[in-house]
Amino acid sequence: MSEPLHDPVKIGIVSISDRASTGVYEDKGLPALQDWLTRALHNPITFEPRLIPDEQAGISAALVELVDAGCALVLTTGGTGPALRDVTPEATLAVAHKEMPGFGEQMRQISLKFVPTAILSRQVAVIRGNSLIINLPGQPKAIAETLEGLKDADGQQIVPGIFAAVPYCIDLIGGPYLETRDTVCKAFRPKSAIRAPRTA
């Protein structure tokens, strides 16, 4: 039996933290993103990791660099609250060609199921060129909840995670065909957009 072929994908993962970037404490954002994406996708992934401080110009520069390097998807973690040093959304919007407000709305809906302070989060998602950039929460548990959504004890989806919409969004902007593992996160595509499996 031939193995199915999956498009390779390059994904930028950016952890934004003054303290972690200077070694005050260990960064948990990048390992959490890498672990979840590896579990969720069948595609062979090349990760482009960045650990940077909460500096708006530096964040914007890193996002542009990752898009220019061919990352179809760039996920950031950290710096999305109301504190003075939280400037990730501003840095992301500054490099946007299009804003995708549905992602931020859904992230807050998911997080509100867990904590009332979710309304303080300011995550945004944007398109730059052929790349989708999404700001995620800072905590590894919240990253997984946001991407995967909320399931009941039987594994049935109560609130859809945002990643269900990511593969089709990337199709629409000319990126690789992402294929998810349904046990982690089932991608949604209209029937007309579903590609027949390719084999070696």
Side-chain angles (χ1 to χ4, degrees):
M1 188 76 179
S2 299
E3 284 292 306
L5 291 173
H6 304 287
D7 288 356
V9 60
K10 188 182 278 194
I11 299 178
I13 51 175
V14 186
S15 186
I16 297 152
S17 165
D18 284 334
R19 288 178 291 177
S21 65
T22 53
V24 173
Y25 60 69
E26 183 191 355
D27 171 65
K28 297 206 165 64
L30 294 176
L33 287 169
Q34 194 162 329
D35 171 68
W36 192 90
L37 290 161
T38 303
R39 286 190 295 110
L41 288 172
H42 286 289
N43 305 67
I45 307 169
T46 302
F47 287 106
E48 287 284 343
R50 301 286 187 277
L51 177 56
I52 57 177
D54 293 277
E55 299 288 352
Q56 187 172 332
I59 298 166
S60 289
L63 297 177
V64 170
E65 180 191 313
L66 290 167
V67 169
D68 290 350
C71 293
L73 177 64
V74 179
L75 299 178
T76 74
T77 173
T80 58
L84 292 177
R85 295 288 294 168
D86 290 336
V87 292
T88 303
E90 287 74 20
T92 304
L93 292 168
V95 302
H97 293 148
K98 290 178 182 170
E99 194 174 347
M100 301 295 289
F103 284 102
E105 291 162 9
Q106 183 65 3
M107 282 190 264
R108 285 180 278 279
Q109 283 303 310
I110 295 164
S111 298
L112 277 167
K113 303 283 182 191
F114 298 96
V115 289
T117 50
I119 56 173
L120 303 179
S121 70
R122 303 185 304 114
Q123 289 107 314
V124 300
V126 305
I127 289 166
R128 180 181 174 85
N130 300 103
S131 304
L132 175 62
I133 303 171
I134 306 174
N135 301 156
L136 294 170
Q139 298 302 318
K141 183 170 177 286
I143 289 170
E145 289 164 355
T146 300
L147 292 168
E148 231 166 284
L150 188 60
K151 294 174 182 164
D152 65 18
D154 301 324
Q156 295 299 307
Q157 200 87 48
I158 302 169
V159 182
I162 63 159
F163 205 84
V166 166
Y168 184 51
C169 181
I170 289 175
D171 293 351
L172 293 173
I173 60 175
Y177 190 82
L178 299 186
E179 297 176 80
T180 57
R181 290 188 174 89
D182 291 356
T183 51
V184 179
C185 176
K186 185 174 171 58
F188 176 81
R189 284 181 171 95
K191 283 185 181 155
S192 60
I194 296 170
R195 187 197 282 179
R198 295 175 301 148
T199 53

